[in-house]
Amino acid sequence: MDRLHGSARLMVVSDLDSTMVHNLLSSSQRSHYLVYEFHGKTVLSYLQVDHDDPDDISLLSFNALWESYYRHDSLLVFSTGRSPTSYKLLRNEKPLLTPDVAVMSVGTEIAYGEALVVDAGWEEYLNHKWDREIIVEETSKFPELTPQSEIDQRPHKVSFYVEEVKALAIIDVLAERLEKLGLDVKIIYSSGIALDVLPRGAGKGQALAYLMKKFALDGKLPANTLVCGDSGNDAELFSIPEVYGVMVSNAKEELLQWYAENMKSNPYILQATDRCAAGIIQAIGYFGLGTNVSPRDIKDFQKCKVEIINPGHEVVKFYLFYERWRRAEVEMAGQHMQNIKSFFYSLATFVHPSGIEQPIHQCIDAMESLHGDRQGKRFQVWVDQLSSAQIGSDTWLVKCKKWESYDACHTVCSIPIQLQSKNEPKRKMEREFQLHIVGEDKHCCLTTILMSSKAEIPNEFIWLHMHQTWLDGFGVKQPETWLL
Ligand code: GLC
């Protein structure tokens, strides 16, 4: 949170499943997960398929918008029902950016930065009138409540599945019983299936209020805040005073109903016509919170000039071109390469993550021959945690994580797995399983670029030097397959 010196220009607080990311499978549908050994590592994975936006296009659009125009002076907060383990799984599966703050387990856990430094003060505060053992015991008296899997049970969150028709009655009776036992809880029903019992002071809204109070105490209250959600556990976010809100077009009935009963005609809340991350982008424009044209949605930068140009945007733009080139989404025209080459100083060098130094122009020549080698494949390139610092009158140092993911092949292999059912957490089945692995290769380099603004063309930048190092655990086995 100390990344910014002053108040954030914009703070986006977004739910993840079905808001920031398209996820067809709701929590209950993620009812089975696999635990398997693969290449010597234990992997835990949900059986997850997306049909709506299989290529995560709207998420990648948001990413490019955020890194180009917002990362340097704004804050990104993810607020999810997922536990830390399940949140990390999603981050492995989807091209999600690194948020400044992660609020997990329905507002019962707050963690900061990439290292997910836990806010111990928040957890301590939630102990007030909370006794997990009593809650587990009392809830076990309701046979209609099916406990969620172990990874979704947290110190301040006891979670179940229950049918919608039975939920309301149970909530009333359970709340009364727990109150009589001296506990002060909040029961939230989400996605027409999930029921969470939390301390009264917890929840996504309370966690946001706590963060805002912290910012206010530091004199760093964000100039604008936009909350984004789709389901019941997001409702609280919309009742925080002085925030803008967007319910994405795919919002669930329970949230729409809550809105109709409590917030109807609130001009600060938008019911988007776009789904998921595209709905968030739509809201940024609708409320006039800043630029809402993602570089990813600009097909030709030469024809469509953007108003805000900064060194970070140049990097995002270059890598978008690189992705389109390899997917053959731009035509193989010599003038493209000439244009790209003109962004690089003729004597600029590139230190490849393998340690080999070479002229950048040589690298661009190599790129020319790779036109279309990823055509029709799932090949995605995005940058995360982009920062740029002016280190001289016309010199800039840009840093980012450059990610590349590629579904190279489909392999089938036999592995021993444990199949664990959420509904019967104690029952584990050991079996030999034929696993179809979509061979996703996901790699990342810590990337540093030295740039200079072109004296003769104001606001244009020229690359002077570039250096990459593998992000621990995300290097490639054959370094020659990584271009830049
Ligand atoms: C997420 C969590 C689940 C919770 C649900 C609703 O899906 O994984 O435990 O019940 O959100 O808050």
Side-chain angles (χ1 to χ4, degrees):
M1 283 214 301
D2 296 332
R3 193 174 59 79
L4 307 183
H5 297 303
S7 298
R9 176 165 57 101
L10 174 64
M11 174 161 80
V12 166
V13 181
S14 179
D15 169 51
L16 292 177
D17 294 274
S18 301
T19 303
M20 186 57 87
V21 294
H22 271 280
N23 245 352
L24 241 211
L25 298 191
S26 67
S27 45
S28 65
Q29 289 164 317
R30 286 188 261 125
S31 61
H32 285 91
Y33 54 92
L34 293 169
V35 186
Y36 56 91
E37 290 290 321
F38 187 61
H39 284 293
K41 280 189 191 166
T42 302
V43 183
L44 176 69
S45 177
Y46 287 118
L47 299 173
Q48 187 145 287
V49 204
D50 283 0
H51 299 292
D52 265 339
D53 183 8
D55 292 329
D56 299 309
I57 297 300
S58 62
L59 174 60
L60 289 167
S61 275
F62 176 85
N63 292 357
L65 178 74
W66 191 260
E67 295 300 327
S68 294
Y69 305 124
Y70 292 93
R71 175 68 84 177
H72 65 286
D73 64 358
S74 296
L75 288 172
L76 184 61
V77 179
F78 287 158
S79 187
T80 175
R82 289 179 178 245
S83 62
T85 309
S86 159
Y87 165 64
K88 285 175 198 160
L89 277 173
L90 186 71
R91 290 205 59 195
N92 275 338
E93 285 164 12
K94 295 282 178 183
L96 278 168
L97 295 180
T98 308
D100 295 282
V101 186
V103 177
M104 296 164 287
S105 311
V106 200
T108 62
E109 298 181 69
I110 300 180
Y112 303 102
E114 190 171 18
L116 292 178
V117 178
V118 170
D119 190 322
W122 176 244
E123 291 183 20
E124 178 70 41
Y125 163 75
L126 296 183
N127 286 332
H128 178 69
K129 291 197 176 179
W130 173 257
D131 188 323
R132 202 174 192 284
E133 264 177 43
I134 297 183
I135 291 162
V136 171
E137 198 189 315
E138 284 306 309
T139 46
S140 69
K141 296 176 186 159
F142 293 82
E144 306 88 334
L145 292 178
T146 307
Q148 292 186 14
S149 75
E150 277 310 307
I151 65 166
D152 284 314
Q153 310 294 349
R154 301 296 298 158
H156 295 102
K157 170 175 172 283
V158 185
S159 297
F160 304 90
Y161 295 120
V162 60
E163 282 171 56
E164 201 155 7
V165 280
K166 297 181 185 157
L168 270 186
I170 293 182
I171 290 175
D172 288 343
V173 181
L174 181 62
E176 204 182 305
R177 278 199 203 165
L178 293 174
E179 198 186 323
K180 280 200 183 124
L181 290 166
L183 303 185
D184 199 8
V185 302
K186 175 186 273 181
I187 304 174
I188 303 181
Y189 192 62
S190 297
S191 307
I193 187 76
L195 185 139
D196 302 310
V197 186
L198 319 171
R200 164 92 49 211
K204 291 186 176 188
Q206 299 292 332
L208 175 58
Y210 170 81
L211 285 176
M212 304 256 279
K213 201 168 154 194
K214 269 190 144 185
F215 289 128
L217 284 173
D218 283 353
K220 287 185 182 178
L221 199 61
N224 286 307
T225 297
L226 172 68
V227 303
C228 322
D230 78 300
S231 79
N233 69 12
D234 300 315
E236 286 190 357
L237 288 172
F238 295 91
S239 36
I240 299 298
E242 293 172 30
V243 302
Y244 294 98
V246 55
M247 299 184 292
V248 289
S249 70
N250 49 300
K252 311 266 177 344
E253 192 46 43
E254 75 237 359
L255 181 64
L256 299 177
Q257 201 179 325
W258 173 87
Y259 171 75
E261 285 164 12
N262 301 281
M263 295 271 157
K264 196 78 190 151
S265 311
N266 182 334
Y268 295 101
I269 300 180
L270 171 70
Q271 213 171 325
T273 50
D274 287 333
R275 294 176 64 87
C276 301
I280 302 176
I281 298 178
Q282 185 186 1
I284 292 178
Y286 178 83
F287 294 120
L289 302 175
T291 307
N292 77 327
V293 180
S294 170
R296 192 169 267 276
D297 297 325
I298 297 178
K299 293 289 166 243
D300 188 340
F301 287 99
Q302 277 175 303
K303 285 197 193 125
C304 178
K305 293 277 174 216
V306 287
E307 310 138 41
I308 314 165
I309 297 179
N310 62 55
H313 173 252
E314 293 302 296
V315 175
V316 171
K317 209 171 75 175
F318 170 74
Y319 279 121
L320 275 172
F321 177 80
Y322 168 78
E323 180 194 276
R324 288 170 186 168
W325 182 261
R326 295 193 64 179
R327 290 172 59 143
E329 286 169 2
V330 283
E331 59 182 43
M332 170 123 186
Q335 108 228 19
H336 280 315
M337 279 298 145
Q338 279 318 314
N339 183 39
I340 287 292
K341 266 191 178 167
S342 71
F343 297 145
F344 297 91
Y345 171 54
S346 57
L347 299 177
T349 53
F350 166 49
V351 182
H352 189 271
S354 62
I356 296 168
E357 187 166 11
Q358 55 184 311
I360 288 197
H361 277 218
Q362 198 173 305
C363 232
I364 304 297
D365 288 340
M367 178 173 155
E368 187 161 8
S369 62
L370 295 179
H371 184 264
D373 72 327
R374 301 289 192 243
Q375 189 169 13
K377 305 266 172 53
R378 191 181 147 103
F379 174 66
Q380 301 171 326
V381 179
W382 69 99
V383 299
D384 184 21
Q385 293 179 296
L386 197 148
S387 70
S388 64
Q390 188 162 10
I391 54 169
S393 59
D394 61 354
T395 324
W396 303 76
L397 194 65
V398 182
K399 287 204 254 175
C400 66
K401 283 188 181 143
K402 185 247 164 168
W403 286 92
E404 218 173 275
S405 94
Y406 175 47
D407 282 354
C409 56
H410 219 94
T411 40
V412 181
C413 67
S414 255
I415 47 164
I417 60 154
Q418 290 172 9
L419 194 55
Q420 179 161 343
S421 162
K422 271 191 172 179
N423 301 346
E424 296 160 82
K426 292 198 186 85
R427 215 180 96 213
K428 287 182 185 165
M429 288 175 281
E430 290 277 350
R431 357 176 147 147
E432 194 66 20
F433 205 78
Q434 268 231 325
L435 187 65
H436 290 251
I437 300 172
V438 179
E440 191 192 50
D441 267 335
K442 198 171 161 194
H443 303 292
C444 181
C445 267
L446 301 168
T447 304
T448 310
I449 302 154
L450 188 66
M451 282 188 179
S452 154
S453 34
K454 283 185 189 172
E456 67 283 14
I457 318 169
N459 294 333
E460 283 226 13
F461 296 88
I462 188 152
W463 302 41
L464 301 177
H465 181 76
M466 182 172 169
H467 194 137
Q468 289 190 318
T469 311
W470 299 124
L471 178 69
D472 197 18
F474 289 95
V476 299
K477 287 213 183 73
Q478 295 156 305
E480 64 281 4
T481 58
W482 178 269
L483 189 65
L484 78 170

